[in-house]
Amino acid sequence: MNMQVTGPAAASSRQPALFPCAGQRARGGPAQTSAPRFVQGPATCVRSCPFASGHGRQFKSRRHIQAAAFQETEEEGFTASPNDMQEARIIVVTSGKGGVGKTTTSANLGMSIARLGYKVCLIDADIGLRNLDLLLGLENRILYTAIDILDGECRLDQALIRDKRWKNLSLLSMSRNRQRYNVTRAHMVQLCEAIIALGYQFIILDCPAGIDVGFINAISPAKESLIVTTPEITSIRDADRVAGLLEANGIYNVKLLVNRVRPDMIQKNDMMSVKDVQEMLGIPLLGAIPEDPQVIISTNRGEPLVLQKQLSLSGIAFENAARRLIGKQDYFVDLNNPHKGLFQKIGEMFSN
């Protein structure tokens, strides 16, 4: 990304706005009815300031502003080409109901995709409560959040926390200790655009529970969605409601992940099967994750399941779901026999 800005940084008092002006739409979002917050740099900026390269010139497009604001954070080997930016995928993990495993799913899918060689950014979109950093073991390394970026207190690269095990996985937290911040849909869209400009190929948004303004903000930049549910009637009802809201907001690429499946209860007809859940919702199935006590252990250790030396059944299922998500695998893991090989599956297919 090579952008030339003429004139010294502090020569003019005109400063570019990071966010759209009143009435401007952001990717189909509603027009701003009131004056938005403008993030401005100080009168005297140094080169490390994210807005130093943009002072003294008013850009014509928001993408140009984002490129100038964060051009100091690009790294050698991860520079995004135009094709990479077009192919970047923004996926929101949602459910409507709390406690179904959205954060666990986001952490394990993000880690699995990063291990396959892609540059992944996980965004904890829950402003009030954050937990994604705990599952990744990064809670002690967060100094800035996305709110600080919006306030102009830090650069994007300062808020992006790299995982200590896989450098191509980063975390951006949005939680703030003080009062709730009025994050808009335009803010979320532009944060994702700035992250994509750094070369990230996958952005996974961990959506907060419920279908209030936090849900609407989290899904606004996404083009794909992963609905997480459990084989419980309350969770299935909420998942069905969320599926309708996603379609109403223009997100049609939706997949289903059934969590906390217990094959023993299914055999006793005490729990709905994965097929029953999928047929009730009418959503393409990405994968099924069995109930596993290792989930609690991995959460307390701050280590995703997919990083264990001996993968548990749930770890295998998360790896399988991640490979299906990026198109590298087209078969499901048998929860009753997870170590069944591909050739055995092909043999059973011909025998049937």
Side-chain angles (χ1 to χ4, degrees), residues 93 95 99-106 108 226-232 235-236 256-263 266 271-274 277 285 287-292 295 305 313-315 317-318 335:
V93 179
S95 68
V100 298
K102 293 186 297 294
T103 303
T104 302
T105 299
S106 301
N108 283 277
L226 176 61
I227 297 180
V228 182
T229 186
T230 57
E232 302 173 8
S235 180
I236 294 173
L256 177 68
L257 185 80
V258 184
N259 195 20
R260 296 178 179 174
V261 179
R262 294 188 57 178
I266 294 176
M271 177 180 284
M272 285 182 289
S273 67
V274 176
V277 176
L285 182 65
I289 312 299
E291 183 76 38
D292 193 347
V295 174
L305 288 165
L313 184 55
S314 56
F318 274 121
L335 298 183

Side-chain angles (χ1 to χ4, degrees), residues 17-25 31-38 58 62 65 186 190:
L18 179 61
F19 299 109
C21 300
Q24 182 177 350
R25 293 182 180 269
Q32 301 287 339
T33 56
S34 60
R37 290 178 59 91
F38 290 107
Q58 198 68 267
R62 190 169 66 246
I65 295 175
Q190 293 174 43

Side-chain angles (χ1 to χ4, degrees), residues 149-305:
I149 300 175
L150 300 178
D151 286 339
E153 298 177 5
C154 72
R155 302 188 308 269
L156 177 61
D157 63 323
Q158 293 175 311
L160 283 172
I161 307 300
R162 282 190 181 185
D163 186 79
K164 49 194 174 185
R165 294 147 299 202
W166 293 88
K167 300 301 183 182
N168 55 334
L169 176 68
S170 298
L171 169 67
L172 177 62
S173 179
M174 296 198 67
S175 180
R176 192 65 178 263
N177 293 329
R178 58 176 186 255
Q179 70 274 10
R180 292 177 64 88
Y181 187 90
N182 186 22
V183 178
T184 65
R185 300 178 65 177
H187 291 164
M188 292 294 299
V189 170
Q190 293 174 43
L191 279 173
C192 289
E193 287 180 350
I195 293 172
I196 292 174
L198 297 182
Y200 284 88
Q201 298 160 296
F202 282 87
I203 297 177
I204 299 179
L205 290 148
D206 183 19
C207 185
I211 54 174
D212 57 359
V213 64
F215 168 81
I216 298 299
N217 290 339
I219 69 173
S220 56
K223 301 300 180 184
E224 306 175 46
S225 178
L226 176 61
I227 297 180
V228 182
T229 186
T230 57
E232 302 173 8
I233 191 64
T234 55
S235 180
I236 294 173
R237 174 193 281 181
D238 291 346
D240 185 60
R241 171 65 172 158
V242 165
L245 292 175
L246 291 171
E247 184 175 350
N249 284 271
I251 301 177
Y252 302 101
N253 188 355
V254 181
K255 295 181 176 61
L256 177 68
L257 185 80
V258 184
N259 195 20
R260 296 178 179 174
V261 179
R262 294 188 57 178
D264 57 333
M265 293 184 65
I266 294 176
Q267 293 177 359
K268 297 177 183 178
N269 292 326
D270 292 332
M271 177 180 284
M272 285 182 289
S273 67
V274 176
K275 184 178 180 181
D276 293 336
V277 176
Q278 193 268 331
E279 289 179 349
M280 289 179 65
L281 294 175
I283 302 172
L285 182 65
L286 179 70
I289 312 299
E291 183 76 38
D292 193 347
Q294 288 294 325
V295 174
I296 300 177
I297 298 174
S298 67
T299 300
N300 293 335
R301 291 179 178 176
E303 180 178 316
L305 288 165

Side-chain angles (χ1 to χ4, degrees), residues 2-54:
N2 297 322
M3 300 187 62
Q4 298 293 333
V5 180
T6 59
S12 175
S13 60
R14 296 179 61 191
Q15 299 170 348
L18 179 61
F19 299 109
C21 300
Q24 182 177 350
R25 293 182 180 269
R27 282 192 179 179
Q32 301 287 339
T33 56
S34 60
R37 290 178 59 91
F38 290 107
V39 179
Q40 297 179 343
T44 58
C45 284
V46 295
R47 192 170 184 268
S48 61
C49 172
F51 303 97
S53 60

Side-chain angles (χ1 to χ4, degrees), residues 132-147:
L132 192 53
D133 56 328
L134 293 174
L135 272 69
L136 296 172
L138 302 176
E139 65 275 9
N140 295 326
R141 298 178 57 190
I142 296 180
L143 298 177
Y144 300 103
T145 66
I147 307 301

